[in-house]
Amino acid sequence: MYQSLYRILIELTNGRYSSGLLKHFSQSRWSRPLILLYVKTFNLNQQEFGKDLKGYTNLHELFTRRLKADARPITAAPSAVASPVDGVLEDSGEIRADKKIVVKGKVYSMEEMLGDELFLEKYLGGKYLVLYLSPSHYHRIHAPIKGSVVKRWTLGRKSYPVNKWGMKYGKEPLAKNYRTITELKNEAGSLAMVKVGAMFINSIVITDESDELEKGQEFSYFSFGSTVVLLFEKGSFELEGNITIPADVRVGETIGFMRPSNFK
């Protein structure tokens, strides 16, 4: 019953026209009076904002805000993997041969999430990390390593929420939602970033299409809270030893290490 009711409500708020109206409202001046309420509700740190609160003309600008240049120091260790987002590291595990991962008690198909069985083969036996962003988090997405962009592609259409209710009652949000995938490669191996949209159609915006990315470089953002799934090749990644999942993480912080022996 609850599952069906939840899906009906989401369909009502996430249809082509209704989600378009919500998106239009968040980008209009009519949403400006809600900015201060939003800041107070989610206890946002205004000291980190890239500009004064009065400089934001609508909610969308606040959602997608940039921060001051020194607000997120990037880990300097060459082998370190930096958190690409502010969020919660909710899950980590092995990418198993049956091509499944378990998040919040639900099983998701890695093959469906990536949309490419052959591409997935190279990551079997490797590690995955799931990072969740709530509406309170900074929404810009940064490169977790220095590397070359090997491939980019987009999948999905609608997007269900990726909060605990969306994970429990949504239609496989990690495998069905609108999502963009970026594969990076350096001397330590390959890393795939699956950026999963939440609410609103096409809620992921690419801001930098460079073929080479520096660690910590911003290259996209979410228009709403969402999820990033990181995939690493077998034997190429170790989780930072001091992290206990679930863990709050911020852009630039060390979340693990790629093969240190391959770095000079």
Side-chain angles (χ1 to χ4, degrees):
M1 174 182 174
Y2 292 112
Q3 181 175 352
S4 298
L5 178 60
Y6 179 85
R7 286 180 175 169
I8 290 171
L9 291 173
I10 291 303
E11 288 293 346
L12 289 173
T13 59
N14 199 41
R16 178 179 178 183
Y17 298 107
S18 55
S19 62
L21 287 172
L22 287 170
K23 186 174 183 178
H24 180 73
F25 172 75
S26 72
Q27 295 177 344
S28 75
R29 62 187 177 89
W30 300 107
S31 67
R32 188 172 187 177
L34 299 178
I35 288 177
L36 184 57
L37 176 62
Y38 188 91
V39 169
K40 290 182 176 180
T41 298
F42 293 106
N43 194 29
L44 303 186
N45 183 1
Q46 296 184 51
Q47 299 302 313
E48 296 180 339
F49 290 7
K51 60 183 178 181
D52 186 80
L53 188 63
K54 295 179 180 178
Y56 298 101
T57 61
N58 55 55
L59 278 175
H60 180 264
E61 289 184 6
L62 182 66
F63 293 154
T64 61
R65 65 190 177 278
R66 284 190 167 94
L67 303 181
K68 292 179 179 177
D70 60 350
R72 295 291 183 273
I74 308 301
T75 178
S79 63
V81 176
S83 177
V85 294
D86 282 12
V88 180
L89 176 54
E90 291 205 325
D91 192 25
S92 175
E94 180 182 347
I95 304 170
R96 302 197 309 267
D98 58 6
K99 301 180 177 66
K100 304 289 185 181
I101 63 173
V102 180
V103 181
K104 292 185 179 294
K106 287 190 69 174
V107 178
Y108 295 96
S109 166
M110 294 290 286
E111 182 179 337
E112 286 187 348
M113 183 172 69
L114 293 170
D116 188 330
E117 182 178 4
L118 293 178
F119 179 81
L120 175 60
E121 291 295 327
K122 69 187 293 185
Y123 290 98
L124 292 178
K127 298 292 185 182
Y128 71 85
L129 304 180
V130 179
L131 298 128
Y132 167 66
L133 290 77
S134 74
S136 66
H137 287 119
Y138 164 65
H139 286 62
R140 298 270 166 172
I141 307 167
H142 299 248
I145 61 171
K146 177 181 179 179
S148 302
V149 177
V150 178
K151 184 179 180 181
R152 291 186 178 94
W153 68 103
T154 299
L155 297 168
R157 187 166 58 88
K158 285 189 175 183
S159 287
Y160 286 81
V162 288
N163 55 23
K164 65 179 181 180
W165 299 108
M167 289 292 195
K168 185 174 182 180
Y169 296 130
K171 293 182 178 179
E172 295 187 326
L174 295 184
K176 302 296 187 183
N177 277 21
Y178 178 85
R179 56 208 184 278
T180 66
I181 302 159
T182 304
E183 185 179 35
L184 295 172
K185 183 177 182 179
N186 63 19
E187 57 266 49
S190 297
L191 176 161
M193 293 183 65
V194 184
K195 301 170 288 297
V196 186
M199 301 299 289
F200 301 144
I201 298 172
N202 301 349
S203 63
I204 306 163
V205 177
I206 305 300
T207 59
D208 191 327
E209 297 186 354
S210 301
D211 293 331
E212 301 285 335
L213 294 176
E214 294 293 325
K215 181 161 56 178
Q217 179 179 342
E218 178 211 310
F219 70 99
S220 53
Y221 68 79
F222 288 118
S223 292
F224 212 73
S226 196
T227 292
V228 171
V229 181
L230 298 180
L231 308 178
F232 299 88
E233 291 180 284
K234 183 177 181 179
S236 70
F237 176 80
E238 292 182 4
L239 187 67
E240 213 288 327
N242 294 324
I243 289 180
T244 301
I245 297 175
D248 292 321
V249 296
R250 303 209 305 177
V251 168
E253 293 180 345
T254 299
I255 56 175
F257 299 90
M258 295 186 77
R259 290 187 288 246
S261 60
N262 286 3
F263 286 88
K264 300 178 180 179

